Amino acid sequence: MPKDRRTPGPAPRPVPAALDEVDQELVRLLTADGRMPNNALAEATGIAPSTCLARVRALRDRGVIRGFHADVDLAMLGQPLQAMVAIRIGAHSRDEIDRFRAKAPRLPGVLALFHVSGANDYLLHVAAESPDALRDFVLDHLTADPAVIHAETSLIFEHIRATPPELGRG
């Protein structure tokens, strides 16, 4: 009996219901300042604080808001060098993809993992203390991985966080 074939990658997520104008404004405000107090959010959106709290909680429960994060100066933490490392996986089996996806985000210095289309399979955003440390990371953790057949490193000279576009408007 043939084994069921699955495509590599995560299962599709359900699309959340459309956000009304108040929810869109709450997301916009929290994206700009994740520490904005509930009373200020309520005042800015013209709703009661209790309603605001319930709406933000519902946005989190629905997965619209996935978390709140600090924007950290990596240089102040001793990791001034950032890079994007393009990774090509040799065998595109579900097991290899799942293993790499589970391993890569836990590697030292990895800030983000992107599964991409095109010639490469993944981009890793990494931080390191020096060019030598970056080289050692690539050699010890990426090119030493039997699934990885190619790793190409691009240094990041400057990183500017973009302002998210207005929701529901192109």
Side-chain angles (χ1 to χ4, degrees):
M1 180 178 285
K3 189 175 180 180
D4 289 340
R5 284 188 71 116
R6 296 186 303 177
T7 57
R13 284 180 271 163
V15 176
L19 302 180
D20 66 16
E21 288 182 24
V22 173
D23 285 343
Q24 288 182 27
E25 183 64 5
L26 286 169
V27 171
R28 187 189 70 73
L29 290 166
L30 287 170
T31 300
D33 180 4
R35 293 177 51 127
M36 191 171 190
N38 185 65
N39 286 344
L41 283 169
E43 184 176 330
T45 54
I47 59 177
S50 59
T51 302
C52 183
L53 193 60
R55 279 182 171 254
V56 171
R57 186 173 294 129
L59 288 167
R60 290 185 72 190
D61 290 345
R62 290 170 53 197
V64 175
I65 296 175
R66 296 185 298 187
F68 299 91
H69 310 279
D71 186 7
V72 177
D73 184 341
L74 294 168
M76 299 291 284
L77 298 178
Q79 294 186 310
L81 186 66
Q82 292 184 54
M84 294 298 281
V85 184
I87 300 295
R88 202 169 305 140
I89 302 293
H92 286 101
S93 71
R94 180 68 172 200
D95 290 341
E96 281 298 312
I97 296 292
D98 287 347
R99 186 188 63 73
F100 186 80
R101 284 181 66 239
K103 171 188 170 184
R106 294 191 319 260
L107 294 174
V110 172
L111 304 172
L113 172 68
F114 303 93
H115 192 174
V116 297
S117 65
N120 296 301
D121 299 303
Y122 290 95
L123 291 175
L124 269 71
H125 181 194
V126 299
E129 64 186 33
S130 68
D132 289 342
L134 178 59
R135 180 202 60 225
D136 291 345
F137 169 82
V138 171
L139 292 174
D140 296 343
H141 297 289
L142 301 177
T143 60
D145 187 318
V148 175
I149 61 169
H150 179 77
E152 182 177 330
T153 304
S154 298
L155 294 180
I156 297 173
F157 294 123
E158 184 176 25
H159 174 222
I160 301 170
R161 187 172 307 277
T163 304
E166 293 294 319
L167 300 173
R169 300 175 201 135

